[in-house]
Amino acid sequence: TPAGDYEPRAPAWRRYCDLAPGVGRVRETLDPPLTPPYTVIDWDAVRTAYVGYSSRGGTGVREYALTAFPGTAYYDNNVQYFGSEGWIDAFAQANIDGVFEHHPSHDPYGNHETDDLETRAAVFETTVLEQVSTSLIMGLIETAAAGSVAAWDAAAAVYTGCGEDSGADLEDTLYGQSDAVGLHFGTIQKGDSPGASLTNTEVMQAFQAGYSPESAAMISRAVQRTAWQSLLRYAHLIDRHFKYEMDWLETQGKGWAAWRVLEAAVARDDPERAAAITAVFAMQEAAPEPLMPNNYCYILNVLEEDLGLANDEAFGVFTDAMSVDCESMAPVIIEFEEDHDHDHDRDRDRD
């Protein structure tokens, strides 16, 4: 990778090289078609790509979503919190089946018949990329504590997609996700070649060092840092959508999927806080009530004061929100339009 190389030592890591291509196949099915009907996603094709029984072959993401690590902290905590050993798969299947409740947004000019389309797609894409990979990596690095070199190698394979020389697209990995959010946090180091986030540099150095409690802790913190960076960014975006009365559903969906990476761990230590954040990002019939003074400042305060993650050099500074002064931010009360069936064309005529 641009952030450094890793040389595996045990052959069992190779099965994890199929994850990134599997994520890529799913993401392709989530792209709206270029021919009529333009706004229709074939959810049967999404399910096929997710399960893995496609004509193009390859292991499906579902197999990895169902990988269990009983006796490890991250896995056991999520099983207890979500009430299922296959909590990621249950969430993914519910999305495919279209059973999530959703609010029809408040965009007066939106096409409310397809409001949930881009939201469901955003949630599913983040689920197969971030939730599955995070669960695998957290489970594997804890398994490596028992002396399993293969587990350490496998964690590196999941994080990098087995590297650029394997043919995988880094965009379909947590490595690529860290670079993507790093662009918004000023943490991309250019060097002599394509840049890499500070988080990715830390992670690759930790993998290269081999298993130790310190290396495992660094990787665990880095994986969670990327999820928090994503959540903070989506919190800022949804604040802006609320303020300027823009359609916020897709942003809410992306935030929800990123939050589920962290939700169980936060709920273990502070159930009230976890419930408040969930109430903002979970798809639901009612419009969410913003956190105070707004979503961005609330989550930033959690990161700075309680978790200390925002103080890491590798966290960076969220440049998109440099103008937001949380110290003097007054609570913003958002009033949402309740009648979503009014005549949109008539509203345009009034304008």
Side-chain angles (χ1 to χ4, degrees):
T1 72
D5 299 332
Y6 178 78
E7 189 69 33
R9 292 165 290 172
W13 59 272
R14 292 188 181 278
R15 66 175 291 266
Y16 292 93
C17 295
D18 285 338
L19 174 59
V23 170
R25 288 191 294 272
V26 170
R27 294 175 77 177
E28 287 178 5
T29 65
L30 293 171
D31 289 334
L34 299 177
T35 57
Y38 298 106
T39 59
V40 175
I41 288 178
D42 185 349
W43 287 98
D44 288 334
V46 175
R47 190 191 306 276
T48 297
Y50 171 67
V51 172
Y53 301 143
S54 67
S55 59
R56 295 171 60 180
T59 304
V61 177
R62 184 171 189 257
E63 178 178 322
Y64 299 105
L66 290 170
T67 302
F69 297 95
T72 61
Y74 185 84
Y75 175 82
D76 288 349
N77 190 43
N78 277 273
V79 169
Q80 180 179 9
Y81 180 76
F82 290 112
S84 169
E85 293 182 355
W87 82 93
I88 300 175
D89 179 61
F91 186 71
Q93 298 281 9
N95 193 351
I96 292 174
D97 293 336
V99 299
F100 290 156
E101 291 183 340
H102 74 284
H103 185 272
S105 187
H106 64 285
D107 177 4
Y109 306 122
N111 177 0
H112 299 313
E113 293 180 356
T114 59
D115 262 344
D116 68 336
L117 173 68
E118 60 188 12
T119 309
R120 289 172 60 196
V123 170
F124 200 83
E125 180 176 347
T126 308
T127 298
V128 298
L129 173 56
E130 296 185 44
Q131 290 188 51
V132 174
S133 293
T134 297
S135 178
L136 286 172
I137 290 170
M138 300 294 272
L140 287 166
I141 61 175
E142 288 192 60
T143 302
S148 173
V149 175
W152 191 252
D153 288 349
V158 171
Y159 192 83
T160 64
C162 296
E164 292 179 312
D165 53 356
S166 72
D169 190 335
L170 288 177
E171 290 186 359
D172 298 324
T173 67
L174 280 187
Y175 181 103
Q177 178 65 10
S178 177
D179 274 355
V181 297
L183 290 171
H184 298 278
F185 285 80
T187 66
I188 301 297
Q189 298 174 302
K190 292 300 182 183
D192 298 326
S193 60
S197 70
L198 286 172
T199 292
N200 279 335
T201 300
E202 277 190 3
V203 169
M204 295 309 296
Q205 289 174 348
F207 277 128
Q208 291 163 356
Y211 176 81
S212 69
E214 293 76 19
S215 293
M218 180 176 292
I219 293 170
S220 174
R221 188 176 179 88
V223 169
Q224 294 177 75
R225 179 191 302 137
T226 298
W228 277 112
Q229 286 174 314
S230 295
L231 188 67
L232 186 65
R233 177 170 176 257
Y234 295 135
H236 175 63
L237 289 174
I238 204 169
D239 284 339
R240 289 179 58 82
H241 294 339
F242 285 172
K243 180 177 180 180
Y244 296 109
E245 298 187 2
M246 301 163 62
D247 196 346
W248 40 264
L249 280 172
E250 183 177 5
T251 299
Q252 182 190 42
K254 290 179 178 179
W256 189 22
W259 167 236
R260 278 178 58 90
V261 171
L262 308 159
E263 185 177 357
V266 175
R268 179 191 58 207
D269 300 326
D270 193 334
E272 185 176 344
R273 170 176 292 156
I277 298 175
T278 300
V280 170
F281 289 102
M283 290 174 66
Q284 55 201 280
E285 286 189 356
E289 289 291 336
L291 299 169
M292 293 296 153
N294 63 19
N295 298 311
Y296 169 78
C297 292
Y298 180 95
I299 293 175
L300 181 63
N301 183 68
V302 172
L303 290 169
E304 289 181 338
E305 303 299 328
D306 299 330
L307 300 179
L309 279 171
N311 302 320
D312 293 352
E313 180 185 3
F315 193 92
V317 177
F318 184 41
T319 54
D320 296 2
M322 292 290 285
S323 62
V324 178
D325 182 2
C326 291
E327 294 295 327
S328 60
M329 175 68 65
V332 178
I333 307 300
I334 307 296
E335 294 184 3
F336 292 98
E337 173 67 56
E338 293 300 330
D339 179 11
H340 303 288
D341 298 321
H342 57 270
D343 189 333
H344 297 161
D345 291 332
R346 187 173 58 192
D347 285 349
R348 290 193 188 95
D349 292 341
R350 290 197 190 107
D351 293 339

